[in-house]
Amino acid sequence: MDTWGRTPLFWGHDPLRDEARSWFKGALGERQVATQLDALGSEFTVLHAVPVGKSTTDIDHVVVGPTGVFSINTKNHSGQKVGVGGRMLTVNGQRTPHMHRALAEGERATRLLSAAARGPILVQPVLVVAAASLKFGKTAPAVVTVDPRQIGAWIRDLPRVHSDEAVRFLSMLAEERGTWHVEAVVVNDTLRHVQRFERLGRDIGQAAARKRLMRRAVVVAALALPAGALLGYWWAIAGAALSASS
């Protein structure tokens, strides 16, 4: 039996729980940045959601190319005002740990990749922040901070620091899970998570469309009711007139 009409989605209810809303918003931001990075071209190796350490912590994106190696941390504060300066990043005037965490992430990635390469390899941290406005203070930010639309061009336009051979070598190391995580091999379900995310995105879109449709139906019904009553009124008058003439 089709139970679509019985589900909250049918009535346009948002399927996303409140406690998962920030996660979903962040994931959308990561996907937007991923699209920009994937367009860098064949000279660059781009990795997404790179697992680090012992737990489920990951680096949003790692990029290896002729212009360097980068650990990219994405933050989706769309619709909000973001201020950046020194080691501080504020959202609507409130301090956040974003800058400190990005610095720590870059330092950790540098240690891990250098150990795998058996030589010093700098991994530069980058913050990519989606916001209504991104305002920079007088002090240069401790971590390069850019808008999602700028990240691809920023990386591509930097001066070359690695040869083609070095890029191939570092890309090979970066692609090895054991470079970043204590578990070098793991049977993960990344594809399943991606599929779930895609399905959740479709459900949210369908719910929003259904909600808009329901609103239109209410408006049409409200307009149709007076029209129907008016039509009935005129039929009653016509009926009375016919009765009087017969």
Side-chain angles (χ1 to χ4, degrees), residues 24 28 31 196-206:
F24 187 77
L28 289 176
R31 294 190 65 187
R196 285 179 176 177
F197 184 83
E198 295 283 357
R199 184 166 62 250
L200 180 58
R202 288 195 299 270
D203 285 349
I204 290 174
Q206 289 174 359

Side-chain angles (χ1 to χ4, degrees), residues 31-202:
R31 294 190 65 187
Q32 181 183 7
V33 174
T35 300
Q36 296 291 324
L37 297 176
D38 289 338
L40 279 170
S42 59
E43 288 185 301
F44 293 85
T45 296
V46 180
L47 307 173
H48 307 295
V50 177
V52 181
K54 299 178 181 180
S55 63
T56 57
T57 302
D58 62 31
I59 301 174
D60 293 339
H61 314 279
V62 172
V63 177
V64 181
T67 58
V69 182
F70 309 90
S71 63
I72 298 175
N73 194 307
T74 66
K75 298 299 177 185
N76 189 352
H77 292 297
S78 54
Q80 299 173 298
K81 297 178 180 180
V82 173
V84 184
R87 290 174 172 260
M88 185 62 61
L89 188 149
T90 61
V91 178
N92 290 339
Q94 299 296 315
R95 295 186 177 189
T96 72
H98 298 343
M99 195 69 67
H100 295 280
R101 289 178 179 174
L103 280 169
E105 186 173 85
E107 291 169 358
R108 187 180 194 183
T110 293
R111 290 196 304 271
L112 293 171
L113 188 59
S114 296
R118 298 184 179 180
I121 302 295
L122 174 65
V123 179
Q124 180 173 351
V126 182
L127 268 170
V128 182
V129 182
S133 65
L134 188 58
K135 185 177 181 180
F136 293 88
K138 296 179 180 179
T139 306
V143 174
V144 171
T145 306
V146 298
D147 180 271
R149 295 164 296 185
Q150 300 171 328
I151 183 60
W154 183 84
I155 290 176
R156 191 185 301 109
D157 294 343
L158 289 172
R160 173 183 282 270
V161 295
H162 294 307
S163 65
D164 292 340
E165 292 77 11
V167 171
R168 284 193 290 270
F169 173 64
L170 293 174
S171 296
M172 179 185 67
L173 292 179
E175 289 171 344
E176 290 292 331
R177 180 185 173 91
T179 295
W180 312 104
H181 202 273
V182 293
E183 296 180 9
V185 179
V186 65
V187 178
N188 60 51
D189 56 353
T190 300
L191 180 59
R192 181 162 57 89
H193 291 316
V194 170
Q195 290 171 335
R196 285 179 176 177
F197 184 83
E198 295 283 357
R199 184 166 62 250
L200 180 58
R202 288 195 299 270

Side-chain angles (χ1 to χ4, degrees), residues 13-29 76 78 197 200 204 211:
H13 295 301
D14 192 338
L16 199 60
R17 295 180 179 179
D18 290 339
E19 59 269 24
R21 197 168 303 282
S22 61
W23 168 85
F24 187 77
K25 185 178 181 180
L28 289 176
N76 189 352
S78 54
F197 184 83
L200 180 58
I204 290 174
K211 193 170 187 177

